Structures are given as structure tokens and as C-alpha cells.
Amino acid sequence: MADDSGEPGWYEGVDPDDAGRVRTQIEEGTTDEPRDWPGLAVESGFTADEDDYYDRLHEATTAATREAAREAGRADDQQLKHSIRAMDDADRLANELAERAVEWGESLFDGVPGGLDGARALADRDPATPAAERAVSLAAEATRLAAEATALRAHVERTAPAVAPNLAEMAGPVLAARLIALAGGLEPLAKKPSGTVQVLGAEDALFAHLDGRAPSPKHGVIFAHEAVRGTRPEDRGSAARALAGKLAIAARVDHYSGERRPSVHEDLRERLATIRARADDEGAGGGG
Amino acid sequence: MTDLPDGVAYRRFDGERRLATRGPPVYGEPTASDWRLWDAGRSKLGATLAAGLDTGLTGGDRVLYLGAASGTTVSHVADFAGPTYAVEFAPRPVRDLVDVAAERPRLFPLLADARRPETYAHVVESGLDAVVQDVATRGQAEVALRNRRFLAPDGRLVLAVKARSEDVTAAPEDAFDEVLARLRDGYEVLATERLAPRHDAHLAVVARPD
């Protein structure tokens, strides 16, 4: 028995000859529960029989997916660059605004905790004066911005593996996106030597150092990777070099082939195990 | 020795018995009359069948294949199965996948994230005979659980678990145990088999919805 209660399939309300519309439906449609689409399509009169349905589905999916893959391959590293930069900006601004709002709020209310938690608490207060009204409103703004940063992070985590599967698997999606953004895209990253990959992102620290605000930088953003941070300080240089080397390879595989290559990840794992075994060897020798 | 699905057979290539299916060649693989070699060293599903595991797959099955990559394995599936939906998330291999699908009228390629079945449930039909999964991302059990909705009650999940996608530093056995434990939240595990030496640190799993 056909029922009209469920969500629609891809073919619903579509003129099969309207290729653009078919593609939009395939790509952007969503439904929680799958249904017997071939059966329902025949019942609804979309196609004469099941064979005809599958013929149309084949035509629709190959055309839509070919087009979608072409488009995604073109633009995605640039989209990722915008996403990660927006995420960092939203994070930074949310924290700055929260700090400002909390500092203000502390002069008006009792018991305001620090940071974004403070801003969230403050945003729920009842302002009694025009000044308090502004402080509370500013705290609410900081809270909204923090939520946007979280949404942007989720977006990066979803899209980075599509743009650079190996790099995202090795570095994690956020660090992968950061490397791509710092290099200006996947192709420029794929063309950088591993020594450059190792210090990408150290530019800010370098300028801070030149301004006299920080010590000289020794590593770039890859320092955020567990392979580096989780290695004892005297072996971090080796770990950073090993990681940078494999990340450079991962970026090249992603740019030139786009397929996952398990061997790169296994090579890195083995190399890191060797580096970390040094600490175990010395520990076992009683060297401390 | 377990029966292979109809449409999959051992044929002689250069004097050696190797798995094969019938269909248009895809990646320059050797052929013998109308059969083409299915290299178990390059395909985890091929290795699963070669290992003699009872996958429950039969000729003409309706299949959802997750992690189709450039379509090497799914081309063999489409050779022996019925309607076959192929999901892959990375745009570049999908271009090859589309070429593979162009020559197979019952292979439907989709650029989608296997972790988000709601983005293709309006295309992929319900009541499928099998979900074949080969995704190299963390949370492989979670992917299988989310895609359970496509399976018929007596359908089969044929899964290749990659230990290193779960945790590169843990022992493979521990990673497998963790995946199997999570999988049992929605599946009854019927059989497992290590795919070494063809595929190091991979475990083949056959399960049905529980």
C-alpha cells in the first residue's frame, strides 16, 4: 500500500529531463529513512517499471556525481581555507569579547566566572542599568560568536577529509585545513619541501619575536600534533621532522591522486615508534 | 570451502587459479575469455571471499557499498550483484568511480559521506541484501550502525575493519575488539577473519542486523 506520509525520494516532483533539477535533488536532498524507492516510483507513475526506474537512476546518479566531483575538486581547498580562517577569527574574537564583557560584568555583578563561561553566565543576567544592559548584550554577542566558531569547526571537520583525505587522516582535519590555508591551497602545499611544512605557521611567532614579545620560534603549527607534543622534548625535533616529511607526502598524494594511501600512515607510525623507543631504551637502562 | 556468490569464480590466469568476475575491464586487469581477474591483494572484499568466509552474498543481491574509492572492488561487486549503490566521499577517486559506473547500468555512484546516511537515504533504497563497508576513518563501527537502516532484517553487513584507522598506536587486536563491541549495539556478528598477509591489520566481519 503506498503511503504519502514518508519523506520524498530523489525523483519526487522532478521532470526527468531537467538535468539541473535532478542533480540538485540528488546532491542536496536529505531523508532520515530510506524507503522502497523503486516500488514507490512505479506506484507514483514516475516510471513504467523497475527496470525503467533503475535506468533513470543510473543516468541521474552518474551525471550528478560526475558534475559534483568535478566541482568539488576545483573549489574545495579554497573553501576550506576560508572556513579555517573564519573559525580562527571567530574563536579569537569570541574570547576577546568574552574577556571584555566579563571584566565589565565583574564591576556590575557578583560571582562572574572568567572566560567564555563567564560570558555565558553574564548573558543570562537581568540588567538593571543602561551600562549593565550593554555589558549583558556584549556577553550574549560573545556567546553567539563562540557558537559560530563551533559550527565552523564542525564544518571544517566534515570537509577537510573530502579535500585531502590522507592529510586529514594524518594530521586531523583541523590541522590539515590549517596547513592548506597557510600554504594558500592544496597544490601549493603539495609543492613545498618538508622543511617548509615543518615551520609553516611559525610566521606569527617570528614577528612576535622581532617585536620583542616572544622567544624565537622553533616549530610551526604541526607542533599541535600528538606525534610532536606527545614525544619527550629531546626527541621532538626528530618527531617533527618525521611528521613533516610524511605530511608533505600525504599532501602530494592528495593533490595528485586523491586516494587514500595506507602505506604513508603506516610508515609514519613505524618511524614514530622508533623515535619513541629511544626514551624506552634509556628508561630501561636506568638512565631516567 | 564456502560457495562463492553466483557470478564469482576461480579462473586460470597464467596457470594460477584466481578469483574473477564477468564484466568490462576497469583498470588493465588480466582477462581470460570474458572473465576478469579480481585481485584479492588489492581488494579487501576479494580477500574476504578468497579466505573462504561465508559472506552470505549471492548473485543478484541489492548492495550498498560504502567507501567505493575509485571503484576497483565495487566494479566486481556490480558484476555479480544486482542494483549496487556506491558511496565515496573523496571527489578525486569519484571521477574514476563514475567512469566505472558508466559501463555498468546497475551501478549508481554517489559523492557522499558514509557517516551521514541521511544525505543519501533519498536515493538508496531500503531492504537491501548487503552493505559492504571499507571506509578508512575512525569510528568504523559507528558508520556500520548508522547504515543499518538500509538493510533488510536478514541482510548482511560485510565489513573490513582497518585497525589503524581506529588507533594507530594500539595493538590491532585491541582496536578490533573495540570495534566489534560497538558493532554489537546493532548487529549480531556471524563471523570474523584476519585478512593478513594480503591486508595487514585488517579484520573481515560478517554480521546481520540484531
Side-chain angles (χ1 to χ4, degrees):
Chain A
M1 189 71 215
D3 77 277
D4 300 327
S5 60
E7 292 166 287
W10 65 275
Y11 55 84
E12 211 98 344
V14 164
D15 171 359
D17 297 324
D18 183 350
R21 183 74 202 289
V22 168
R23 185 188 154 198
T24 310
Q25 291 265 107
I26 298 251
E27 253 181 82
E28 292 171 14
T30 62
T31 299
D32 279 332
E33 286 307 317
R35 302 170 74 197
D36 174 20
W37 304 126
L40 291 166
V42 173
E43 271 181 55
S44 74
F46 175 73
T47 58
D49 55 34
E50 203 171 77
D51 256 357
D52 184 32
Y53 171 81
Y54 285 129
D55 287 345
R56 286 181 188 279
L57 178 64
H58 185 255
E59 195 181 321
T61 52
T62 45
T65 302
R66 175 176 281 127
E67 210 36 56
R70 194 176 292 154
E71 216 164 78
R74 256 201 314 267
D76 267 9
D77 64 332
Q78 296 308 314
Q79 289 300 310
L80 190 60
K81 191 174 85 180
H82 290 302
S83 310
I84 188 80
R85 286 181 179 168
M87 181 193 110
D88 283 342
D89 287 349
D91 253 334
R92 182 172 45 78
L93 290 170
N95 280 301
E96 272 177 32
L97 282 183
E99 208 174 305
R100 169 70 55 219
V102 166
E103 190 188 341
W104 195 352
E106 279 170 335
S107 70
L108 298 162
F109 302 98
D110 289 330
V112 181
L116 276 167
D117 284 343
R120 277 183 206 108
L122 199 56
D124 289 337
R125 297 291 181 103
D126 278 331
T129 64
E133 204 169 295
R134 299 275 46 90
V136 167
S137 168
L138 189 65
E141 212 58 58
T143 309
R144 268 195 294 277
L145 206 47
E148 183 57 35
T150 305
L152 283 163
R153 177 177 293 269
H155 178 68
V156 166
E157 285 174 349
R158 212 168 42 240
T159 49
V163 176
N166 289 290
L167 197 65
E169 182 177 341
M170 189 177 286
V174 170
L175 181 53
R178 232 170 232 141
L179 289 167
I180 289 170
L182 284 166
L186 182 56
E187 181 169 359
L189 181 64
K191 291 180 171 164
K192 292 207 185 304
S194 78
T196 306
V197 174
Q198 191 181 338
V199 296
L200 269 181
E203 298 86 353
D204 284 354
L206 179 64
F207 291 126
H209 171 63
L210 295 175
D211 286 349
R213 289 185 280 116
S216 70
K218 294 177 181 63
H219 305 273
V221 287
I222 66 162
F223 216 69
H225 196 284
E226 202 275 330
V228 182
R229 265 200 319 204
T231 300
R232 63 174 184 165
E234 53 264 57
D235 290 330
R236 276 186 191 162
S238 310
R241 267 196 310 283
L243 176 63
K246 299 308 175 194
L247 287 171
I249 294 171
R252 284 168 212 161
V253 175
D254 286 339
H255 175 64
Y256 293 105
S257 119
E259 281 205 61
R260 291 198 185 89
R261 185 175 299 171
S263 59
V264 188
H265 305 280
E266 280 152 32
D267 290 350
L268 174 63
R269 196 186 60 87
E270 277 161 29
R271 184 78 195 102
L272 286 175
T274 309
I275 290 169
R276 289 185 178 176
R278 290 179 201 162
D280 295 343
D281 290 348
E282 286 169 31
Chain B
M1 180 79 214
T2 318
D3 284 346
L4 295 168
D6 275 350
V8 184
Y10 280 96
R11 293 281 139 179
R12 288 207 174 271
F13 294 89
D14 281 336
E16 261 187 86
R17 284 180 76 245
R18 309 281 295 274
L19 276 185
T21 61
R22 269 176 298 194
V26 167
Y27 48 94
E29 68 277 25
T31 53
S33 66
D34 54 347
W35 293 82
R36 60 191 191 99
L37 176 73
W38 186 357
D39 186 350
R42 288 180 57 168
S43 164
K44 274 148 256 168
L45 183 62
T48 302
L49 292 171
L53 211 62
D54 184 2
T55 60
L57 291 170
T58 50
D61 272 355
R62 293 170 195 231
V63 178
L64 169 60
Y65 193 106
L66 304 171
S70 51
T72 309
T73 297
V74 83
S75 71
H76 291 287
V77 173
D79 284 351
F80 74 79
T84 303
Y85 301 86
V87 169
E88 170 55 44
F89 193 26
R92 207 146 317 174
V94 163
R95 288 185 219 166
D96 298 332
L97 174 63
V98 170
D99 290 339
V100 170
E103 294 200 63
R104 289 174 167 77
R106 292 295 174 264
L107 178 55
F108 314 114
L110 295 166
L111 178 66
D113 183 350
R115 288 168 299 187
R116 303 182 63 215
E118 70 277 9
T119 61
Y120 48 86
H122 65 302
V123 179
V124 179
E125 62 192 271
S126 60
L128 295 177
D129 301 299
V131 169
V132 180
Q133 180 181 324
D134 180 13
V135 297
T137 60
R138 214 188 170 93
Q140 294 166 94
E142 194 58 43
V143 170
L145 291 169
R146 288 184 195 169
N147 285 280
R148 185 177 172 269
R149 67 190 77 178
F150 296 102
L151 276 176
D154 61 344
R156 287 291 183 278
L157 169 73
V158 183
L159 170 68
V161 183
K162 181 184 174 183
R164 280 170 192 154
S165 292
E166 295 298 318
D167 186 343
V168 287
T169 56
E173 292 73 20
D174 296 341
F176 294 148
D177 285 349
E178 222 163 278
V179 169
L180 288 173
R182 180 78 181 98
L183 203 58
R184 290 196 170 96
D185 288 345
Y187 287 96
E188 180 192 350
V189 174
L190 300 173
T192 65
E193 181 87 32
R194 290 289 290 264
L195 293 179
R198 286 193 180 99
H199 302 276
D200 194 30
H202 281 81
L203 183 75
V205 179
V206 180
R208 74 169 157 230
D210 198 5

